[in-house]
Amino acid sequence: EDFSHTANETATMAKFISDSLFTTLVKVDHIIFKHNAYSTIVNEKKDQLTSFKDHLSCAMGRWYYEGEGKLRFAHTQNYKAIEAPHENVHKMVLQSLQCVEKNSCSEMSNRKTLVSNIVHMEESSSQLFTLLDELVREANPTIGSIKR
């Protein structure tokens, strides 16, 4: 019985670690997306504009709507909650990238809008990361009861 209990705890911990690593990779993809957006805006790289997708077709969108994220986490409440902040990150990035097309990102007339968009994007991004952490905890409710 003790062996069975230990084996179950080990399996529970392994799933928690796997889910944690999985969402960490999603966060890294998201950070790279934001970094590329900042770089494209600051350097007004028109050739990079086509690399920015909406929230449905980016790596996280594919993870969320049709991939491993849906398989692992669709049953949780936090899964449903991540859609809005994720969509908002993309909305703010895509709005901000409009100045790249016009070569006007550094113009004073665009600064207020860009700063506002970036603040909203970062707030949504922070909310998204918090929800991803909660998603893992919600999907692994017994993790806190494991004795080490």
Side-chain angles (χ1 to χ4, degrees):
E1 184 174 304
D2 199 32
F3 175 77
S4 176
H5 179 72
T6 302
N8 285 337
E9 283 187 348
T10 301
T12 299
M13 183 62 77
K15 181 185 178 302
F16 175 74
I17 291 169
S18 176
D19 288 350
S20 295
L21 290 172
F22 195 74
T23 55
T24 297
L25 291 173
V26 169
K27 290 177 186 178
V28 169
D29 280 344
H30 181 77
I31 290 167
I32 291 169
F33 172 81
K34 291 190 315 176
H35 167 76
N36 290 340
Y38 286 138
S39 178
T40 300
I41 292 165
V42 169
N43 299 303
E44 293 187 341
K45 297 181 190 175
K46 280 188 180 183
D47 62 325
Q48 296 297 312
L49 288 174
T50 58
S51 68
F52 293 93
K53 312 262 186 261
D54 64 17
H55 72 288
L56 301 171
S57 43
C58 71
M60 185 173 178
R62 291 189 310 274
W63 172 87
Y64 181 84
Y65 289 103
E66 60 198 47
E68 194 69 23
K70 183 175 182 178
L71 293 172
R72 287 182 189 231
F73 303 113
H75 66 283
T76 67
Q77 289 302 309
N78 283 297
Y79 175 83
K80 295 162 187 67
I82 66 175
E83 184 174 26
H86 177 232
E87 181 177 4
N88 196 50
V89 167
H90 282 266
K91 180 180 172 188
M92 294 297 102
V93 166
L94 293 172
Q95 283 180 12
S96 297
L97 290 170
Q98 292 174 8
C99 69
V100 174
E101 188 65 46
K102 300 172 189 169
N103 290 322
S104 64
C105 295
S106 61
E107 292 178 12
M108 287 300 288
S109 59
N110 286 326
R111 291 237 171 123
K112 187 176 181 181
T113 300
L114 277 174
V115 169
S116 175
N117 286 352
I118 289 168
V119 166
H120 286 16
M121 179 188 70
E122 288 298 343
E123 288 171 350
S124 292
S125 183
S126 179
Q127 181 183 14
L128 182 61
F129 279 26
T130 298
L131 288 167
L132 285 167
D133 291 340
E134 291 297 320
L135 180 91
V136 171
R137 284 191 279 283
E138 184 182 355
N140 297 276
T142 62
I143 200 67
S145 64
I146 293 178
K147 295 176 186 146
R148 295 179 191 146

